[in-house]
Amino acid sequence: MKLIIIYGAPAAGKLTIAKELAAIADVKVFDNHQVIDIIEPIVTRSYPDFAKLIYSTQSSIINAAVSANQKNVVITFPYAANLERDAEFINDITNKSRSKGSSVYPIFLHCDADTLRSRAIEESRKQYGKITTVETMNKMIDKYEFKIPLDIEGNVIFNTDTLSAKDVAAEIKKLAQL
């Protein structure tokens, strides 16, 4: 199995690039909001272990896909360097997947704060329950470190200020030989 992990700040372009990749390669997209959308109506974000529940559910699904030897999967994951659980999640699924023989391609997306703010208000974000206001994005930018990628084997970094989603998807397709 080939597992592509696209991670980075909210509004960095993770889902957009994953969809572009799916349009040009044989990959299944597993967006982090798919899990949130299932859990949140039953267990709200006010639950103290909400994030832990989301991470464990995503991890279980990814581990099952690896064990079932699914062909190619691209996952999206919001990442902040100052949240230890984010690094632990990505490292854990990377190590478990590689130990089971999967090829894993960590892809870090970044862009400047002004770009994040301008993307936050794009209409397409509303349907996914994502950050949709500049005010909320500013709070996130102030609270979290979005510019520092993981130090992980095979990590590839893309600046989505300068590269289009189609260009990044094409590069990922070449990198993973999809």
Side-chain angles (χ1 to χ4, degrees):
M1 176 176 151
K2 293 183 180 180
L3 176 64
I4 297 102
I5 304 169
I6 301 177
Y7 71 102
K14 299 177 298 292
L15 182 56
T16 303
I17 290 167
K19 287 179 175 182
E20 288 289 342
L21 184 59
I24 61 171
D26 184 17
V27 297
K28 302 292 183 203
V29 176
F30 180 36
D31 178 46
N32 64 295
H33 278 275
Q34 289 172 291
V35 172
I36 294 168
D37 292 346
I38 292 169
I39 292 174
E40 193 170 33
I42 300 160
V43 180
T44 65
R45 291 177 192 252
S46 64
Y47 173 59
D49 288 329
F50 183 79
K52 188 185 232 180
L53 179 60
I54 297 298
Y55 289 28
S56 67
T57 303
Q58 287 174 309
S59 184
S60 294
I61 293 169
I62 294 161
N63 289 333
V66 169
S67 293
N69 198 26
Q70 298 301 301
K71 191 170 181 184
N72 302 313
V73 176
V74 57
I75 67 169
T76 65
F77 186 77
Y79 167 80
N82 57 334
L83 282 177
E84 189 174 312
R85 67 183 185 218
D86 287 359
E88 288 173 0
F89 174 81
I90 295 170
N91 281 312
D92 182 59
I93 61 168
T94 298
N95 292 335
K96 283 181 180 176
S97 299
R98 286 179 174 160
S99 74
K100 293 179 180 177
S102 293
S103 299
V104 181
Y105 304 89
I107 308 293
F108 177 68
L109 305 181
H110 70 93
C111 55
D112 69 35
D114 288 337
T115 301
L116 295 177
R117 288 182 195 99
S118 69
R119 289 180 183 166
I121 59 173
E122 290 178 2
E123 191 66 29
S124 63
R125 297 181 58 78
K126 290 180 182 176
Q127 67 182 330
Y128 298 105
K130 297 180 177 210
I131 294 169
T132 56
T133 68
V134 172
E135 179 184 7
T136 303
M137 183 58 78
N138 281 336
K139 288 177 184 176
M140 299 293 283
I141 291 167
D142 290 343
K143 186 175 182 178
Y144 299 111
E145 176 51 65
F146 294 130
K147 291 278 191 179
I148 301 172
L150 275 171
D151 181 16
I152 189 168
E153 180 186 339
N155 199 30
V156 178
I157 300 168
F158 292 102
N159 180 336
T160 60
D161 282 319
T162 58
L163 292 170
S164 72
K166 286 182 186 220
D167 290 342
V168 174
E171 288 297 319
I172 294 169
K173 181 180 178 183
K174 278 193 281 187
L175 172 75
Q177 298 177 356
L178 298 170

